[in-house]
Amino acid sequence: MVQHTEQVLEWPVLIDCLAKEASSSLGEGCCRTLAFASDLHSAVIQQQETSEMVHILQGPHPLPSLVFPDIRNVLARAQKEGILEGPELRDISLVLGLGHTIKEYLQIHGSTFPKIRTRSLNLQDLIWVKQTIDSCIDLNGQLRESASPELYQLVRKSQGLRQTIRRRLETILASQEYEDLLQGQYFAERENRYVIPIKAERQQAVNGIVHDISSSGATVFVEPRHLVELNNSIKFVDLEVAQEERHLLQDLSSRVAEHVSAIHGNLSCLADLDCLMAKARLSIKTHGSPILLNQEHCIDLQQARHPLLALTKEQVIPNSIRIEDETKVLIISGPNAGGKTVSLKLVGLFAMMVKVGLHPTCGPDSKMALFEQVYADIGDSQDLSNDVSSFSGHILNMIALLKNVESSGEPTNRDALVLLDEVGSSTDPIEGAALAEALLTRLCELGCTIVATTHYPSLKTLPFRNPHVRNASQEFDMVTLAPTYRLIDGIPGGSSALDIAERLGLDSTIIQSAKSLIRGQDFDLDAIFRTLQNTHTRLERECEQAQYLRQEAQRLLEEAQVTRNQLKAQEQEDRQRYRKQWQQEFSKAQRHLNQIVNDLKKDKTLLKVKSIQQTIGTLNQEILSHLPNNQWVSSEPLHEGDLVEINALGTIGVLQESLEGKRQVSIRVGTRTIKTAPSAIRRAIPSSDNKPLSGQQQLSGRRALPTISTELGSPASNQETGLYQQELVIRGFRFDDAMEMTLAALDHALVTQAKYLKVIHGQGSGALKTGIRTLCQSSPYIQSFRAGDPSEGGDGVTVIELR
C-alpha cells in the first residue's frame, strides 16, 4: 500500500528532481534513499537544516561546490593492502581537501548555522594526509619527479640517456650511409626501444634487430646494432624508475589504509551535506518555505502550489487548504479537469516532504501535520491480467487500507492521512455514493484525516449531516466555461459536466436532451452549488476590491497629511522669516529715528522733542500692528485662560481676565504680569512650534526665546525697587544665540522708548557675561551699563541704560 501511495503521488518523480540538484554521485544516492522522520523533533531539525543551507547558498559566504568522486572501492582496496594508482590517490586527496575546507568554514561561520555544524561534528581534518599525497601526486594523478631523491635521480638519468640516443638517431637520419635505406626522415619507439624506418627490400643492408613492420609491409622498424647497448641502458633505468614509483605508491597506499575509517566518515558527511545542499537548491528553485509542524492533525496551507508544477511552469495558481479543529474530512468537488486531483496530490506530497526535510511550496505561515502513514487511492486500479475491474481495484485498495489503519492501535493514537480520488466511483451512482459515505464515516471514526474528491451530490451535502466534514470546491468560470484552478473553501461545487461538454463542442441537441433527462432535484442541487460558488467568487472579488480601495484611501490620507504638515511648516517658516526681515528693517529705521531724537535733545528744544517722540510712538504702534504674525489666529472671542500674543512684544502669555468692559487686561508671562489694552492682543493657538514654557517662547520647536518682560503700565523704570521696563533672560543659551537675542532686545527697547534693559545671563563660565559687556562697550545705543546690585541678581545681571 505504501509503495502504491508513493507511485500515485509521483513521489519518485519529485525525488528524481531532488537528485538532479546534487553535485556528486554519493549525494545523489543520499537523495534517492532519504529516510522519513519518525518523530516531530527529527522532522523539525531536518526543516531547520534545509533552512540554514538555503541561507548559506543565498548568503555572502556560500559553501564550496560539493563535487567529489566516489572513492569507496578505492578505500576498500587500500584496506586490503592493495597498491593504489596515482589517479586514485589524487581522488582521495580531493576528498580530504574538501573535508578540510568544510571544517574550516564551519569553524568560522558555524555559530550562524548550528544545525549544520552539529551534523558535521564527526568531520575529521586529515589535511596532513592530503599534503603527503600532494607532495608525491600532481593534479593529473601522475607521480612527481620530486616524490623522492632516488626517483629524481633516476628520471634525470633516463632523460639524459634518451637525449643521447636521440642525438645518435638524428645523426643516422642525416648520414649518406642510410640515405637510400630509410623510408622516412624520422625515428620511432617500439616496445620502449628506439628504432628507425627501413625500406622492406633493403632491411638486409642494416645490421640490427627488427621490432615491427608496417601494416602495408613496405616499412620495417629496425634497431641498429650499435644502439642496442644504449637502448638496454634506457630500459634498465626505466625499470628502476618503475620500481621506485611502485615503492612510493605502496607507501602512500599504506598511509591511506591507516585512516580508511576516518576517510569513510568524511565521505559520508560530505554526501549528507551534498544531499542537504540539493534540498536547499530545490527549495530556492520552487520558492519553498519552512512551515510549522504539529501532531494535532492540523493542516493550514497558505498559497500552496504543487511542487512538480512549480518546477515545470512559471505561473501556478496558489490555493489554501485547511483541515483543523473538529474537521476530519475535506470533500473537494467541482468540474472535471478543474484541479481536484492536483489538490489531493499536493496534500499528500507535502505530508511526505516535511518528513524528509524538504520545504513545501507554500507560504511560510502555513502549518502541516506530521502523519505517521500516508495512504492514497488515486487513478484507475484496473488490472486486466488478474481480472480486476476498476471498481474491484478500488475496493481491494480500501480493504488493505482498513486493515492497515485498524491494526495501528486505538483511534486516538492513529496518525494517518488518507487521500481518496473519486471515492465510490466506477459503479452504480446511488450505491457508489452510499458506499463512499459509509467508508468516509468509518475512516473518520478510526481517527484518520481524509481528503476526498467526488461528483456525488449526496457527498456534497454530507457536511450538513456530519460536523467533522467540510466542503471545498474547485472554481469554474461560468463566463468562459473553463476551470480557474482556484480552490474555494467551505462550499461545494457543481460538476458542470454538461457545460464542459458543450464547450468542447458536443452537439447542442445532445446537451439539451441530457438536461431534460436529469432529474429535477439533482439538476436544481447542481444549480444551487454553482450559484453558491458564483456568489462566493463575486463576494471575494468585491472584498479584494474593497481592501484595495481601503489601502489606497489610507495611502492617500497619509500622503495628504504629510503634504499638509509640510505646507504648514513651510508657512510657519515663511511667516517667521518675513517677520524677522520686517523687524530688522524696522529696527534699522528705529535706530535712525532715535539718532534724530538724540540730536534734537542736544538742541534742547523740549516741545519739539516731545512732539516728535509722540509722532514716533504713534508710528511705532501703527507699524507693529501691521507686522505679520507667526501664529494661527482665531476669530473666536477671547476668554480667561486663553493663550494670547502681545502684538507689540511678540510675547506669548495667558489671559488672566475677561475682556468685557476693560480698558486694560492682565496677561501672565512667566512669573510676571503685564497689563495692556485688549486691542493689543490676539489669540495664539498652541502648536508643536509655539507653546509657553516657563514664561518663555519656544525657538523653532526646540529652544525657548528669551523672556522680555514689560510693565506697560509704568511710565519709567524704577531702579530703586529693582523693577525695569525691559528684562531679557539669556541664561542657558548658546553664546551666538544669546548675542542675537540681546541685539533683538536692544532693538525692541529702542522701539518702545525704554530707558533701561536688564539682561539676566547668570554666572556660568562667564562667557555670556563677558560677551554682553563687550557688546555694551561697542554699541552706540548704550549710554552706560553696570553689574546688578545684590537685590537685582548681582554679577549674574547686567543693567543697561539706553541713550
Side-chain angles (χ1 to χ4, degrees):
M1 187 69 190
V2 174
Q3 184 177 4
H4 173 74
T5 296
E6 293 182 359
Q7 290 295 329
V8 297
L9 291 179
E10 299 180 275
W11 178 250
V13 179
L14 183 61
I15 291 300
D16 283 342
C17 295
L18 173 65
K20 291 178 182 178
E21 299 297 332
S23 301
S24 66
S25 59
L26 287 179
E28 181 181 347
C30 286
C31 292
R32 297 188 183 280
T33 57
L34 286 175
F36 293 109
S38 58
D39 58 85
L40 182 63
H41 178 69
S42 300
V44 170
I45 288 179
Q46 290 190 49
Q47 288 270 310
Q48 293 172 344
E49 288 175 343
T50 305
S51 298
E52 289 183 1
M53 187 61 78
V54 168
H55 292 153
I56 289 176
L57 293 180
Q58 295 180 329
H61 306 291
L63 274 173
S65 179
L66 292 172
V67 179
F68 58 91
D70 184 357
I71 58 172
R72 290 176 296 180
N73 292 335
V74 176
L75 294 177
R77 285 202 296 110
Q79 196 170 23
K80 295 178 181 178
E81 299 183 356
I83 298 177
L84 305 181
E85 300 298 330
E88 295 172 331
L89 290 166
R90 175 205 57 199
D91 290 347
I92 293 175
S93 172
L94 290 175
V95 172
L96 297 178
L98 187 57
H100 170 74
T101 301
I102 298 299
K103 193 169 186 67
E104 278 192 335
Y105 178 93
L106 294 175
Q107 287 176 348
I108 298 173
H109 305 288
S111 58
T112 310
F113 312 110
K115 300 303 179 184
I116 294 180
R117 181 181 61 180
T118 301
R119 176 186 277 263
S120 306
L121 288 177
N122 294 328
L123 192 63
Q124 298 189 35
D125 193 352
L126 300 174
I127 188 63
W128 67 272
V129 178
K130 170 184 168 54
Q131 292 171 346
T132 301
I133 295 174
D134 291 346
S135 66
C136 299
I137 307 295
D138 61 21
L139 293 178
N140 296 319
Q142 301 298 319
L143 268 171
R144 302 179 187 273
E145 293 180 7
S146 58
S148 71
E150 293 81 3
L151 180 61
Y152 181 82
Q153 293 296 331
L154 290 172
V155 170
R156 287 283 176 255
K157 183 177 181 180
S158 174
Q159 291 175 348
L161 291 174
R162 291 179 184 278
Q163 289 178 358
T164 300
I165 197 171
R166 284 172 181 156
R167 287 195 296 270
R168 291 189 182 182
L169 287 168
E170 290 171 356
T171 302
I172 291 173
L173 295 177
S175 67
Q176 294 181 353
E177 178 183 354
Y178 286 89
E179 184 177 358
D180 295 332
L181 303 178
L182 292 172
Q183 191 69 270
Q185 292 292 320
Y186 65 92
F187 58 86
E189 280 190 68
R190 292 295 185 271
E191 298 177 356
N192 293 327
R193 301 181 75 87
Y194 287 90
V195 294
I196 56 177
I198 301 297
K199 297 175 182 178
E201 64 273 13
R202 300 297 305 276
Q203 64 173 319
Q204 299 299 329
V206 179
N207 184 16
I209 303 172
V210 176
H211 285 276
D212 197 6
I213 186 171
S214 67
S215 57
S216 64
T219 304
V220 177
F221 296 94
V222 179
E223 177 185 3
R225 183 65 63 182
H226 58 277
L227 295 180
V228 170
E229 184 177 352
L230 191 53
N231 265 326
N232 287 341
S233 298
I234 294 172
K235 182 71 173 179
F236 183 75
V237 172
D238 286 348
L239 291 174
E240 288 182 314
V241 168
Q243 188 175 22
E244 178 63 19
E245 289 179 344
R246 185 175 180 81
H247 289 160
L248 290 170
L249 293 175
Q250 187 173 18
D251 182 61
L252 293 174
S253 300
S254 298
R255 291 177 182 268
V256 170
E258 295 172 1
H259 303 281
V260 164
S261 178
I263 298 173
H264 263 301
N266 284 10
L267 197 65
S268 177
C269 184
L270 292 176
D272 289 342
L273 287 175
D274 188 23
C275 177
L276 187 55
M277 191 174 286
K279 294 179 184 179
R281 290 196 186 101
L282 187 67
S283 176
I284 295 172
K285 186 175 291 187
T286 60
H287 302 287
S289 300
I291 61 176
L292 299 175
L293 303 181
N294 64 85
Q295 288 183 313
E296 287 73 42
H297 299 177
C298 174
I299 299 176
D300 186 5
L301 304 177
Q302 303 294 325
Q303 300 296 302
R305 295 164 293 116
H306 194 289
L308 295 179
L309 292 180
L311 284 170
T312 56
K313 293 184 177 181
E314 293 185 3
Q315 296 293 333
V316 180
I317 303 298
N319 282 307
S320 296
I321 301 174
R322 183 168 55 89
I323 305 176
E324 55 187 357
D325 299 330
E326 295 299 319
T327 302
K328 300 298 181 184
V329 182
L330 180 67
I331 296 179
I332 303 176
S333 54
N336 291 309
K340 299 190 301 297
T341 304
V342 171
S343 298
L344 199 68
K345 291 183 176 181
L346 180 148
V347 176
L349 280 177
F350 279 18
M352 300 174 74
M353 291 173 70
V354 296
K355 295 179 69 175
V356 296
L358 293 177
H359 285 169
T361 47
C362 59
D365 296 331
S366 301
K367 301 176 184 178
M368 187 67 203
L370 191 71
F371 295 101
E372 183 179 351
Q373 296 291 341
V374 179
Y375 302 101
D377 184 28
I378 301 174
D380 192 352
S381 298
Q382 180 176 248
D383 186 357
L384 296 179
S385 61
N386 293 318
D387 294 329
V388 176
S389 66
S390 297
F391 177 74
S392 300
H394 288 302
I395 294 301
L396 291 174
N397 287 337
M398 291 303 98
I399 293 172
L401 167 61
L402 289 171
K403 287 182 179 178
N404 289 334
V405 173
E406 289 172 348
S407 64
S408 60
E410 295 299 321
T412 55
N413 298 325
R414 289 178 183 135
D415 194 10
L417 174 65
V418 179
L419 309 171
L420 303 175
D421 188 26
E422 302 294 348
V423 57
S425 62
S426 303
T427 188
D428 177 78
I430 297 177
E431 294 182 356
L435 184 61
E437 182 173 341
L439 177 61
L440 294 177
T441 302
R442 177 60 176 160
L443 289 172
C444 184
E445 291 172 351
L446 291 173
C448 298
T449 300
I450 307 115
V451 182
T453 66
T454 188
H455 287 289
Y456 291 145
S458 61
L459 290 186
K460 298 175 187 179
T461 59
L462 182 58
F464 301 103
R465 303 188 300 276
N466 190 329
H468 299 297
V469 183
R470 195 171 76 253
N471 271 313
S473 60
Q474 298 291 156
E475 186 181 48
F476 185 76
D477 192 333
M478 295 304 297
V479 177
T480 62
L481 297 179
T484 65
Y485 305 105
R486 293 179 63 249
L487 185 68
I488 301 176
D489 184 63
I491 63 173
S495 297
S496 304
L498 298 182
D499 296 319
I500 294 174
E502 187 175 14
R503 182 176 67 88
L504 294 175
L506 188 62
D507 193 312
S508 59
T509 58
I510 298 177
I511 299 295
Q512 294 301 322
S513 177
K515 289 181 178 180
S516 65
L517 293 174
I518 297 176
R519 288 186 300 172
Q521 183 180 358
D522 292 340
F523 189 80
D524 292 343
L525 188 60
D526 200 55
I528 291 172
F529 291 156
R530 287 199 298 269
T531 302
L532 281 174
Q533 193 177 81
N534 292 337
T535 302
H536 179 277
T537 301
R538 178 177 55 80
L539 292 175
E540 188 178 56
R541 290 173 181 170
E542 289 178 356
C543 287
E544 291 175 355
Q545 182 68 14
Q547 177 70 14
Y548 170 77
L549 293 175
R550 183 163 56 250
Q551 293 175 350
E552 187 68 12
Q554 181 65 28
R555 184 184 64 81
L556 293 174
L557 175 61
E558 292 173 356
E559 290 180 356
Q561 289 175 340
V562 170
T563 302
R564 177 180 177 275
N565 293 337
Q566 290 174 345
L567 291 174
K568 182 177 178 181
Q570 184 63 41
E571 182 176 358
Q572 292 282 62
E573 183 180 344
D574 291 342
R575 285 174 177 269
Q576 292 174 1
R577 184 173 67 254
Y578 295 149
R579 181 183 180 87
K580 185 175 181 180
Q581 291 174 354
W582 286 23
Q583 287 177 334
Q584 289 174 349
E585 293 296 326
F586 178 75
S587 298
K588 181 178 178 181
Q590 183 64 44
R591 288 193 291 270
H592 182 64
L593 290 173
N594 287 338
Q595 185 63 42
I596 296 174
V597 171
N598 291 334
D599 293 341
L600 290 173
K601 288 179 180 179
K602 293 178 182 178
D603 292 341
K604 299 182 180 180
T605 55
L606 184 59
L607 292 176
K608 187 175 181 180
V609 168
K610 290 184 176 180
S611 175
I612 291 176
Q613 285 182 333
Q614 184 176 2
T615 302
I616 291 174
T618 303
L619 183 60
N620 287 342
Q621 294 299 327
E622 182 178 352
I623 293 175
L624 287 173
S625 66
H626 287 85
L627 283 175
N629 180 32
N630 63 340
Q631 304 297 326
W632 294 101
V633 180
S634 173
S635 60
E636 297 178 3
L638 293 171
H639 301 284
E640 181 180 353
D642 287 348
L643 194 66
V644 296
E645 178 185 8
I646 304 174
N647 297 334
L649 304 180
T651 303
I652 304 298
V654 179
L655 184 63
Q656 298 294 99
E657 55 187 324
S658 174
L659 300 182
E660 296 181 4
K662 304 289 179 60
R663 297 183 61 185
Q664 286 191 330
V665 292
S666 299
I667 300 170
R668 181 171 56 81
V669 179
T671 59
R672 308 295 296 274
T673 300
I674 297 175
K675 286 187 175 292
T676 187
S679 61
I681 63 174
R682 68 180 71 189
R683 180 185 300 276
I685 299 176
S687 65
S688 61
D689 294 329
N690 183 13
K691 294 180 182 178
L693 179 61
S694 301
Q696 298 182 349
Q697 295 175 319
Q698 286 193 347
L699 177 61
S700 301
R702 299 189 303 273
R703 303 194 57 176
L705 287 170
T707 298
I708 304 177
S709 301
T710 308
E711 294 290 347
L712 297 178
S714 59
S717 301
N718 188 345
Q719 289 183 270
E720 294 180 359
T721 62
L723 296 177
Y724 294 89
Q725 187 175 353
Q726 298 270 349
E727 283 188 0
L728 171 68
V729 181
I730 60 173
R731 182 174 51 235
F733 285 85
R734 292 189 303 110
F735 182 83
D736 292 341
D737 293 339
M739 294 301 102
E740 183 179 349
M741 295 171 187
T742 304
L743 289 173
L746 288 171
D747 291 341
H748 190 272
L750 291 171
V751 168
T752 58
Q753 297 294 306
K755 182 63 177 176
Y756 293 95
L757 173 64
K758 180 180 178 181
V759 181
I760 303 173
H761 46 67
Q763 294 287 352
S765 63
L768 289 180
K769 177 180 70 177
T770 302
I772 292 298
R773 293 178 182 177
T774 301
L775 175 65
C776 292
Q777 291 174 353
S778 60
S779 175
Y781 310 116
I782 298 176
Q783 182 171 329
S784 64
F785 65 93
R786 63 177 176 81
D789 293 334
S791 62
E792 296 172 320
D795 204 33
V797 172
T798 298
V799 179
I800 300 172
E801 182 181 0
L802 301 172
R803 292 185 185 276

